[in-house]
Amino acid sequence: MAEMDSKLQELKTRLMEISDLNGASAVLGWDQATYMPRGGAAARGRQMATLGRLAQEKFIDPAVGKLLDDLTPYGESLPFDHDDAALIRVTRREYDNATKIPPSLLGEFYQHTAIAYDAWTRARPANDFSTVAPLLEKTLDLSRQMADCFPGYDHIADPLIDFADYGMKAASVRALFAELREQLVPLVRTITEQEPADDSCLKQHFPEDKQLAFGVEVIKDFGYDFERGRQDKTHHPFMTKFSLGDIRITTRVKENDLGEALFSTTHEAGHAMYEMGINMAYDATPLGGGTSAGVHESQSRTWENIVSRSRTFWEHYYPKLQATFPEQLNKVSLDTFHRAINKVQKSLIRTDADEVTYNLHVMIRFDLELQMLEGSLSIKDLPEAWHARYKSDLGVQAPSNVDGCLQDVHWYGGVIGGAFQGYTIGNILSALFYNQALKAHPEIPAEIGKGKFGTLHNWLRNNIYTHGSKFTAPELIERVTGGPLRIDPYIGYLKEKYGELYKL
Ligand code: ZN
């Protein structure tokens, strides 16, 4: 036993050093996206690459493998949900993944995506797909090579999907999306046949400082802890974590669009509150982070959509918003405002899409990723394939590639494969988990209507946040809901909410 204790201690010490390197790199990344002067860019990229390489080298050290080999029987002798068992199990899984990809391939991949990302930042405003196309060819080739490090898959995208959403495969995501699509398409059609909601009330002038202050008040009420975080401005909002004691968010303000900063703030605060709720004992270990892309997104969507786009929420907050912006909003009714922030329309840009059409944007990208990986869609044909799918699925045509296949950073800064399905899985899960919280506490909506979020926050903390990565997403879903991932609570949520809004 004493021997196991000392081996476990050694493993934790090694994992902490790796976490320190990653935390330092995250500070550099946060600074790069917020305050760094332009002149720092080249060195910053190099510094982050160096830290990333050191962390990777330390993790794939055979000594870590030996410790895991020695500790595995001990881990398996413990109850499944014992912290030590989970630490050994989860670290083993990540170690096996990390050691299957040769460091040379990973190094080449990071070097290449840094170049591709940089090229994309210039190609997008210039509507210049042709300069990034050869880079994307190489990304596709490297993505296939990474997938091939995990032989035995059914579909070449499976290993890449598994990295982001463990336990999901191309086939299971396809089946899930097909089921969802069958429900969504008629709903989108019925809604968009009606007179579109008037959102002009959101497009007036709203001074930045007041917008920021209002958002901060809302997320303080949610339970975002400013003793363990802060909010700064950036171009593309994100959440980042340096340790479980320092979890930051960023936002973006548009003075002519009230929704931009507010919903980006509530979204990122949702991601951050998930991390803030993780058991502190897991800090600096592989358990001390969210368990999958989909579960993470479910928490941002809960606070952004289910809570802060609900009518109940605004019964409490709309008078406060009117008091903040009396000239702009005093003549705008709560109903008009609520319809405006939930306007449904067939549009070109995923990140601006409403709750109902959003998943159609994701499905397009998911299908195109699979086709590229399979080899049935070549990079040079991507722009046309993109336009064709937007025409058939959403009935819209982008005037150029800027609002077409150049719009999202994912393929230009990472792998092709597994990059998008987490968003829709997150939407589905947000309603599944919220539904479960309501079963335990039917008073939650009434509390939200009074600006009180403690019951919901506590339920999420106790049932989801605290576990960090102790359970995989499928295990967590089973534990929380007593069954597998299913779409009916999400469909029920959309039909009820938009049924009322559009009098369906
Ligand atoms: Zn998110």
Side-chain angles (χ1 to χ4, degrees), residues 219 222 224 239 249 265-275 296 299-301 303-304 465:
I219 63 170
F222 283 175
Y224 178 87
M239 175 221 77
I249 58 173
T265 294
T266 57
H267 180 98
E268 299 306 332
H271 281 301
M273 283 156 64
Y274 180 12
E275 298 276 337
H296 231 300
Q299 293 318 297
S300 58
R301 293 301 190 180
W303 294 98
E304 178 200 351
Y465 301 173

Side-chain angles (χ1 to χ4, degrees), residues 264-301:
S264 125
T265 294
T266 57
H267 180 98
E268 299 306 332
H271 281 301
M273 283 156 64
Y274 180 12
E275 298 276 337
M276 283 175 169
I278 294 173
N279 185 342
M280 275 297 209
Y282 301 165
D283 199 11
T285 78
L287 302 185
T291 191
S292 73
V295 174
H296 231 300
E297 196 64 10
S298 77
Q299 293 318 297
S300 58
R301 293 301 190 180

